[in-house]
Amino acid sequence: MVVETTEALDFLSVLGLEDKNPGVSTGLQWFDGKGKYLTSNSPVDGQLIGKVKSATAGEYEEVVEIAQEAFKAWRKVPAPKRGEIVRQIGEELRAYKEPLGKLVSYEMGKSYQEGLGEVQEMIDICDFAVGLSRQLYGLTMHSERPNHRMYEQWHPLGIVGIITAFNFPVAVWAWNAAIAWVCGDVCIWKPSEKTPLCSIACQKIANRVFERNGIPEGVSCIVNGDRKIGELLAKDTRIPLVSATGSTRMGKDVAAKVAARLGRSLLELGGNNAIIITPNANLEMSIPGVVFGAVGTCGQRCTSTRRLIVHKSMLAKVKKSLTRAYAQLKIGDPLDEGNHVGPLIDKDAVQNYLNSIKAVKKQGGKMIVEGGVLKGKKYESGCYVRPCIAQVENDMDIVQHETFAPILYVIPYNKLEDAIALQNAVPQGLSSAIMTSNMLEAEQFLSCEGSDCGIANVNIGTSGAEIGGAFGGEKETGGGRESGSDAWKAYMRRQTNTLNYGTSLPLAQGIKFNI
């Protein structure tokens, strides 16, 4: 493990990561079982960071049984008290923000600033969940029957299974776990096999709080492993809700398995996000938003800007501005804050990037800024690529698919109605934006005839959502909602209660039943 030889990577030891890490935990207990090791190699320099023991089917079974017992106790803890535990986890994350942000950057490849931002999202959702713990409101309704009271209340579901992707290796877990915990649920987390060390670090941070407060073992569990572990979660009737983040292909598979047992799934899947630039856009503000959206996390966000729909009168100017901006991008080690763009996650992602560029050219696209794999000593991991731009038609097959890489497609339009139609004419429906200083254009974009996405922004880009609003999208994005607003309802079951405080038994709808 590099930690012992490289002073710059001392954050690994600060987080308690070892050469070989047990990858299964129920909180107080770590399983060092018979599962195979997952190796974590950094895309930054290609070095082996460490190994994580994956779960066996038997260990998975043991974890679920412990989580079931934990739920029986945790659900009885008053919600504000559960919120206090989450508050303390937020404080612990504040203390470890820098080393955890560095780990996210080094294991996943996003810039250090983005790594810090991801940990800040975890802190923010903990703060949100603390307030939520006192606001799990139901409704009261007037009964049609005399001396009757009607109301609804919300109860915890039980075990929440959380499947996360490599591109946000810690934040998406926190989005789910923090809210699930204040709702009274317990969690079993199946992290991405590409970023297993991030999960170990998060579990250790949460464990400190749970142990200090005497919280039952099993409230927070992790089961590292390959897709077989995810399948166990999806098929398990003891897990009422599975929240899965990843590709549309993966989501369809999870959804089918969960639906087959009539369970619930919360899906956050692919995005094919567009920004519309109208003649009324402020380009000085728009171009940085486009560039960050397209190249941030090396194009590996579900909210990354994939398509730029530009009015024909602005096309030449926008292309010139983008070309100038892309020429200034610094690509390299994401822990160096002077760099804008880090690596792709692995060489498979690099090959997918190259195949997509080849498909763009074959299908008639014209390159505005050429791409390619970067060579040289500082790019020795083989995962660094050049962000590129191509002018295309929206109906090209390659444009209809999500490419998890820094490839931006420029598409011209004539009328705003055409631009909105182009924006909506893809299978995905996550994030969207319009750049305009015209109120009528903005309102048209936000109307029921406008963007069909779960997120629609005006004069900001497609990525960088705040936790206060519900996050998620429509169509092949899966329809799930996480994080803010009333997303908490997905983690609870609604119960309608009718209470008769009279001495007779009138029936609803005036039905007479005399015996």
Side-chain angles (χ1 to χ4, degrees), residues 289-302:
V290 171
V291 175
F292 175 74
V295 309
T297 321
C298 203
Q300 296 171 114
R301 292 184 176 215
C302 53

Side-chain angles (χ1 to χ4, degrees), residues 316-499:
K317 192 173 183 180
V318 167
K319 285 161 68 172
K320 184 177 179 180
S321 296
L322 285 173
T323 301
R324 188 185 305 119
Y326 270 53
Q328 298 173 35
L329 291 175
K330 295 178 181 178
I331 307 167
D333 183 347
L335 289 173
D336 180 349
E337 295 189 66
N339 291 322
H340 302 102
V341 184
L344 289 171
I345 185 65
D346 55 28
K347 290 182 179 178
D348 287 341
V350 172
Q351 191 57 53
N352 185 42
Y353 159 86
L354 293 172
N355 291 343
S356 297
I357 293 174
K358 194 177 294 183
V360 168
K361 293 177 178 178
K362 186 176 181 180
Q363 293 171 27
K366 297 179 180 178
M367 300 305 296
I368 299 169
V369 175
E370 288 284 350
V373 180
L374 297 174
K375 307 292 184 183
K377 187 175 181 180
K378 71 179 199 174
Y379 307 123
E380 59 189 350
S381 70
C383 296
Y384 291 88
V385 300
R386 187 175 292 108
C388 62
I389 307 173
Q391 186 169 331
V392 300
E393 296 295 329
N394 196 70
D395 59 1
M396 288 180 181
D397 182 67
I398 187 62
V399 178
Q400 292 288 305
H401 293 87
E402 179 188 41
T403 299
F404 236 45
I407 304 174
L408 178 64
Y409 302 125
V410 174
I411 304 160
Y413 79 92
N414 284 313
K415 296 187 299 184
L416 182 57
E417 291 79 4
D418 300 332
I420 293 172
L422 289 167
Q423 138 70 39
N424 294 340
V426 292
Q428 308 83 2
L430 179 51
S431 188
S432 58
I434 188 170
M435 299 296 187
T436 180
S437 56
N438 184 301
M439 185 184 73
L440 299 181
E441 290 179 334
E443 291 293 345
Q444 185 175 347
F445 179 73
L446 298 176
S447 74
C448 62
E449 297 178 344
S451 170
D452 65 359
C453 293
I455 299 169
N457 298 328
V458 177
N459 292 327
I460 63 170
T462 58
S463 61
E466 299 179 30
I467 59 90
F471 179 89
E474 303 301 322
K475 302 187 293 190
E476 287 193 358
T477 301
R481 292 296 185 275
E482 294 172 329
S483 189
S485 185
D486 65 349
W488 62 271
K489 292 179 179 179
Y491 303 87
M492 305 193 82
R493 59 182 176 89
R494 187 197 315 245
Q495 185 181 79
T496 300
N497 307 111
T498 306
L499 191 154

Side-chain angles (χ1 to χ4, degrees), residues 33-55:
K34 299 178 181 178
K36 295 180 180 179
Y37 275 110
L38 301 172
T39 57
S40 178
N41 291 81
S42 173
V44 175
D45 52 19
Q47 296 296 312
L48 174 67
I49 313 174
K51 296 181 179 180
V52 173
K53 205 68 168 290
S54 58

Side-chain angles (χ1 to χ4, degrees), residues 244-323:
T245 301
S247 68
T248 297
R249 178 203 57 76
M250 180 277 287
K252 287 180 177 179
D253 187 54
V254 169
K257 288 180 170 62
V258 175
R261 60 177 176 85
L262 297 181
R264 299 188 197 179
S265 56
L266 193 167
L267 303 175
E268 297 291 353
L269 310 176
N272 196 345
N273 316 295
I275 294 177
I276 296 172
I277 293 187
T278 80
N280 298 298
N282 178 338
L283 284 190
E284 288 186 10
M285 180 175 66
S286 301
I287 295 300
V290 171
V291 175
F292 175 74
V295 309
T297 321
C298 203
Q300 296 171 114
R301 292 184 176 215
C302 53
T303 54
S304 290
T305 305
R306 310 280 174 210
R307 298 174 295 140
L308 186 63
I309 303 170
V310 185
H311 192 271
K312 286 186 176 179
S313 66
M314 306 283 285
L315 187 60
K317 192 173 183 180
V318 167
K319 285 161 68 172
K320 184 177 179 180
S321 296
L322 285 173
T323 301

